[in-house]
Amino acid sequence: MTRVLVVEDDPQLVRALVINLQARRYGVDAAPDGATALRLAAARQPDVVMLDLGLPDMDGVEVIKGLRGWTRVPILVLSARRGSDEKVAALDAGADDYVTKPFSMDELLARLRAAVRRTEETSLTTGTTLVETADFTIDLLAKRAVRNGRDVRLTPTEWHLLEILVTSPGRLITQTYLLQEVWGVSQSNKTNYLRVYMAQLRRKLEAEPAHPRYLITEPGMGYRFEG
């Protein structure tokens, strides 16, 4: 049974989440504040955490940081905060996805299933060196990209960017993280660098660069690789 830890201080929303999750055979624990959430996470070892950012005792970002100190459990943020800055802060702290309130229960459950699926796929492919799609193959060990049977020439910067994305399939990687990893902290505001290099990667790898299937932009936040 997949266990979900719901961290939310709105009793009505907690009740709705618990009923819907239990009806679909999820095990559910609920915490009304950050301190309880951290304690329950350590004791119950959930498979997924659903986390509201506006908690009574601490900001949800602090809970994310606390969890990321010892676990890679998927964290799905539920929040009424709509600004991209808040989303980026949560994602940079280690959240895996962000759902803005109000949300449909169907969308939330789909995001939950995707988070569980990504975790299962990651555990199965830990240590993998080959990423295969219908259009191209990436050999991480040989640092080689092949499309239509031919080697694709990638610059070191293009390769570094691609490697970060393909080793975290389905996960949104923020602009800030990519800029710091590839170009260094001093370039963390140079989002035009990312646009240029992502466009180059799409031209080299995507069948339709203008309508990418694999290298997806999340406007204002970052990029994700969909394998």
Side-chain angles (χ1 to χ4, degrees):
M1 179 186 289
T2 300
R3 295 210 66 81
V4 181
L5 173 59
V6 175
V7 188
E8 169 64 63
D9 64 336
D10 179 344
Q12 285 186 307
L13 180 53
V14 171
R15 188 161 57 249
L17 289 170
V18 169
I19 289 170
N20 277 277
L21 290 167
Q22 288 181 338
R24 289 161 179 82
R25 306 295 178 89
Y26 290 97
V28 189
D29 295 300
D33 54 55
T36 306
L38 292 171
R39 190 171 63 251
L40 271 176
R44 302 287 284 172
Q45 301 284 314
D47 298 294
V48 182
V49 175
M50 287 185 176
L51 171 69
D52 179 30
L53 293 183
L55 299 172
D57 61 338
M58 67 176 78
D59 192 275
V61 171
E62 295 306 311
V63 178
I64 296 170
K65 291 177 180 176
L67 291 169
R68 284 292 172 254
W70 62 274
T71 179
R72 291 302 309 161
V73 64
I75 300 172
L76 183 58
V77 168
L78 316 177
S79 181
R81 301 177 189 177
R82 294 178 175 273
S84 62
D85 288 350
E86 286 90 346
K87 293 181 181 181
V88 168
L91 292 161
D92 275 340
D96 294 86
D97 207 346
Y98 196 110
V99 181
T100 304
K101 296 177 181 177
F103 50 79
S104 76
M105 195 60 68
D106 284 344
E107 179 193 0
L108 179 64
L109 291 168
R111 300 283 191 100
L112 172 62
R113 290 192 299 272
V116 172
R117 189 165 60 247
R118 285 198 297 272
T119 303
E120 290 171 346
E121 289 169 355
T122 299
S123 65
L124 287 172
T125 60
T126 298
T128 188
T129 60
L130 199 63
V131 178
E132 296 181 280
T133 74
D135 293 300
F136 57 85
T137 301
I138 307 295
D139 187 330
L140 296 167
L141 197 60
K143 292 192 178 296
R144 183 182 180 216
V146 177
R147 181 181 172 207
N148 297 328
R150 297 181 178 180
D151 282 359
V152 178
R153 293 177 63 87
L154 298 178
T155 68
T157 300
E158 289 169 348
W159 180 264
H160 193 180
L161 192 55
L162 181 64
E163 191 174 37
I164 292 170
L165 291 167
V166 302
T167 52
S168 297
R171 184 173 180 192
L172 173 58
I173 310 296
T174 63
Q175 293 176 342
T176 302
Y177 181 86
L178 289 168
L179 286 164
Q180 289 177 344
E181 285 293 306
V182 179
W183 286 278
V185 176
S186 62
Q187 307 296 339
S188 60
N189 62 340
K190 306 285 189 180
T191 54
N192 57 308
Y193 285 22
L194 273 175
R195 286 195 293 273
V196 169
Y197 276 88
M198 289 300 295
Q200 289 173 189
L201 282 172
R202 286 172 177 147
R203 280 197 298 273
K204 292 180 178 183
L205 296 173
E206 296 272 6
E208 295 184 64
H211 304 284
R213 175 180 171 186
Y214 305 103
L215 300 170
I216 309 300
T217 300
E218 294 283 355
M221 290 189 285
Y223 300 89
R224 75 170 87 221
F225 170 71
E226 295 291 353

